[in-house]
Amino acid sequence: QVEIVESGGDLVQFGGSLRLSCAVVGHGLDYHEIGWFRQAPGKDREGVSCISADDGTTYYADSVKGRFTISRDNAKKTVYLQMNSLRPEDTATYYCVTDFRRGSPRLYVGAHVMGMDYWGKGTQVTVSS
């Protein structure tokens, strides 16, 4: 069916950078939107960023705006999340999520809303102080 594989998570120092990758196999890049959410112990699920396949519009949570950038490589069928100026509060498991049918459940990315159809196993990001 659909396979989603995240990679790039690591242990990084305060202020460092990481680049997460998400490969989608099966439907390829035929999703309406693709993005990232994160989950940290003791905290709610948080939509981080997403990009629309329809018009390329990008969305970011206020907490990462100006530090994170989402992009994609159509040739490699891969979506990236460049994370700069990382903070300890960014520590979480990051999941790549796709919206194919624009249904439920829903994920809030800032003021934007996307559907959640499939997501991967996640990749761990740990930022030390």
Side-chain angles (χ1 to χ4, degrees):
Q1 195 175 14
V2 176
E3 181 181 7
I4 300 175
V5 181
E6 306 103 327
S7 62
D10 205 348
L11 172 64
V12 65
Q13 294 183 0
F14 176 87
S17 298
L18 287 173
R19 191 188 197 191
L20 306 184
S21 299
C22 173
V24 181
V25 180
H27 284 85
L29 271 61
D30 290 336
Y31 43 75
H32 295 292
E33 293 181 87
I34 185 167
W36 299 83
F37 71 87
R38 63 188 181 186
Q39 181 78 58
K43 300 195 69 175
D44 295 331
R45 175 190 299 163
E46 180 185 17
V48 177
S49 181
C50 67
I51 184 169
S52 171
D54 298 326
D55 58 13
T57 303
T58 58
Y59 304 90
Y60 298 93
D62 290 340
S63 58
V64 307
K65 193 173 298 182
R67 300 186 297 120
F68 292 9
T69 303
I70 190 169
S71 63
R72 73 180 194 179
D73 186 329
N74 290 333
K76 297 181 178 180
K77 301 184 186 302
T78 302
V79 174
Y80 304 97
L81 184 67
Q82 179 66 45
M83 306 186 297
N84 299 324
S85 302
L86 284 165
R87 308 163 180 169
E89 49 263 45
D90 293 317
T91 296
T93 302
Y94 285 69
Y95 300 85
C96 181
V97 58
T98 56
D99 182 349
F100 287 94
R101 59 184 178 88
R102 288 173 169 168
S104 298
R106 297 190 298 173
L107 178 70
Y108 287 87
V109 180
H112 182 70
V113 181
M114 67 175 291
M116 299 174 63
D117 291 315
Y118 304 96
W119 55 90
K121 299 177 181 178
T123 184
Q124 179 65 39
V125 173
T126 303
V127 185
S128 64
S129 58

